[in-house]
Amino acid sequence: MNSHKTWPDNWHSEFVHPDKQYKSTSLKVEKVLYSGESEFQKISVVMTSSYGRALLLDRVLVKTERDSWLYNEMMGFLPLGMINEPRDVLIIGGGDGGVAGEILKHPTVEKVVILERDQRVVDISMRYFEDSGVTIRDSRVEVVVGDPLLVTQRRKDKFDVVIVDMFADMRSPAHKVVAAELLHGLQYILKPDGVICYQQPSPLVNDTALREQMRMFRRYYPSVGYAVNIAPTLPQGSVGYALMSPQEGVDFSVPKQGFGVEEARKLGLRCYNTEVHQGSFMCVPSIVRDMVSEGHPDTPSTEGAPPISGNKKHIYSVQSMFSRQQSAGDK
């Protein structure tokens, strides 16, 4: 995870590597609007001079008013484009409502479930970001608060698309175990022709983490693809997206449901369209293609994971293995 320096001389800076502070992205902070701490993390909202309001979790930038739509659109529409008439979407993480807000623009989506471990992220986002409030109050959105591992095991409904909108530090043994158990559990709530989209590190900065995650994905899913796009406020300047399917031979560069430039504009999309979808997979440097095409070494075992059972509720309030492993010195 990126290291950071928060507000010395009214600047927020994040560095690419925690131990090698040679490159950073900095935003001028005009005012601190909120600063507090939940049982999981520190939460801050600041007003920046050029990117509007910004949300920080454990002092890591996760949302700005000016450019978060770039990431959110791609995170939502890359997997949506691989499904004919998608209707049901699950977002793991994403308590700020950013990805959900973009997904709601899709004409056939009927239900979006946001599975967020931290209720405070949802509350603070709704209080300080107008778009978050509009999205989370939408009748098509269901917010579930709890441990993603336990909640996904308890749900009986199936999803066309599952989006993992959270960072997994593959240098951490605990995070590797959590990621492996989550991938294992998602197989039970994904429809047979469904697609998973998993947030990925920048390829040329975090190449070791990228290789490890792609190997892990291939253990659970026969079709895995990798796309990349710009992300101006991240220290790396780019972000990756891994797509997975339980079906064999899926070419993720060819969307099943395309949106031309004009059609995408009518939906309110500012980045995604069919050409951008194709280019995100096809216009990947050769060195990155080599990284994401490497072998399939062993990954952490999911033996002993809780059984798939339980009933559906609108709100879960559970705290277990996921929160404990995340807090075990891995941030």
Side-chain angles (χ1 to χ4, degrees):
M1 184 176 289
N2 305 324
S3 65
H4 48 76
K5 291 184 178 179
T6 305
W7 313 313
D9 300 321
N10 296 321
W11 284 90
H12 170 73
S13 299
E14 290 185 31
F15 293 86
V16 172
H17 290 292
D19 303 320
K20 301 176 182 178
Q21 297 186 355
Y22 57 81
K23 181 179 183 293
S24 70
T25 295
S26 299
L27 293 177
K28 181 73 171 179
V29 175
E30 300 289 348
K31 184 179 181 181
V32 178
L33 302 176
Y34 173 84
S35 182
E37 191 165 349
S38 72
E39 61 180 307
F40 300 104
Q41 58 201 333
K42 296 177 181 177
I43 304 174
S44 303
V45 180
V46 300
M47 176 62 74
T48 69
S49 60
S50 56
Y51 280 79
R53 293 186 176 190
L55 174 66
L56 300 95
L57 302 181
D58 279 333
R59 298 181 178 176
V60 173
L61 187 69
V62 298
K63 176 185 178 78
T64 73
E65 289 182 309
R66 182 173 179 179
D67 76 338
S68 289
W69 57 270
L70 268 168
Y71 166 83
N72 293 330
E73 269 192 29
M74 297 295 284
M75 196 73 178
F77 271 79
L78 284 174
L80 288 173
M82 299 306 303
I83 305 293
N84 287 319
E85 298 187 352
R87 302 192 184 282
D88 303 307
V89 180
L90 171 66
I91 304 170
I92 299 176
D96 64 287
V99 176
E102 299 301 330
I103 288 172
L104 292 176
K105 296 176 181 178
H106 195 286
T108 67
V109 168
E110 297 176 350
K111 179 178 71 174
V112 179
V113 177
I114 300 174
L115 173 47
E116 169 62 54
R117 66 171 181 154
D118 194 343
Q119 179 69 56
R120 291 295 291 163
V121 172
V122 178
D123 295 340
I124 295 302
S125 297
M126 293 180 69
R127 183 187 305 176
Y128 289 96
F129 295 90
E130 182 179 357
D131 62 330
S132 298
V134 170
T135 294
I136 294 171
R137 293 186 185 96
D138 192 288
S139 61
R140 294 167 290 175
V141 174
E142 174 188 355
V143 177
V144 178
V145 178
D147 181 333
L149 294 178
L150 294 184
V151 175
T152 54
Q153 290 157 7
R154 293 173 177 175
R155 293 191 73 97
K156 294 183 178 180
D157 43 348
K158 304 281 187 178
F159 296 91
D160 297 296
V161 169
V162 176
I163 294 170
V164 184
D165 184 20
M166 62 185 188
F167 178 80
D169 188 349
M170 296 306 290
R171 298 167 303 178
S172 158
H175 279 237
K176 290 181 182 180
V177 172
V178 169
E181 293 190 351
L182 183 61
L183 288 169
H184 173 75
L186 293 182
Q187 297 175 85
Y188 297 92
I189 62 173
L190 189 68
K191 293 180 182 179
D193 60 347
V195 173
I196 296 170
C197 184
Y198 206 118
Q199 181 192 115
Q200 289 296 283
S202 176
L204 298 180
V205 176
N206 300 295
D207 55 301
T208 300
L210 175 59
R211 287 186 175 97
E212 290 195 26
Q213 287 207 0
M214 297 300 287
R215 291 167 185 163
M216 179 182 290
F217 297 154
R218 289 194 179 90
R219 177 178 179 181
Y220 295 98
Y221 298 94
S223 294
V224 179
Y226 180 83
V228 67
N229 194 33
I230 60 171
T233 48
L234 291 183
Q236 306 95 328
S238 64
V239 64
Y241 309 86
L243 269 64
M244 292 162 266
S245 171
Q247 295 186 330
E248 298 274 359
V250 176
D251 183 354
F252 291 104
S253 69
V254 182
K256 292 183 178 180
Q257 185 180 35
F259 294 103
V261 174
E262 291 305 319
E263 187 177 6
R265 284 176 179 161
K266 290 178 182 178
L267 294 176
L269 303 179
R270 292 175 282 177
C271 177
Y272 181 89
N273 56 55
T274 298
E275 293 178 0
V276 170
H277 182 117
Q278 294 170 333
S280 298
F281 289 96
M282 298 176 67
C283 299
V284 175
S286 297
I287 188 173
V288 178
R289 290 179 183 271
D290 293 340
M291 290 178 195
V292 302
S293 300
E294 291 184 0
H296 310 192
D298 289 340
T299 53
S301 172
T302 60
E303 184 177 355
I308 308 299
S309 62
N311 53 356
K312 178 182 175 182
K313 297 180 180 179
H314 181 70
I315 296 279
Y316 291 103
S317 293
V318 294
Q319 178 182 355
S320 62
M321 175 173 54
F322 184 85
S323 57
R324 291 200 299 272
Q325 288 180 335
Q326 284 248 330
S327 61
D330 300 320
K331 293 180 179 178

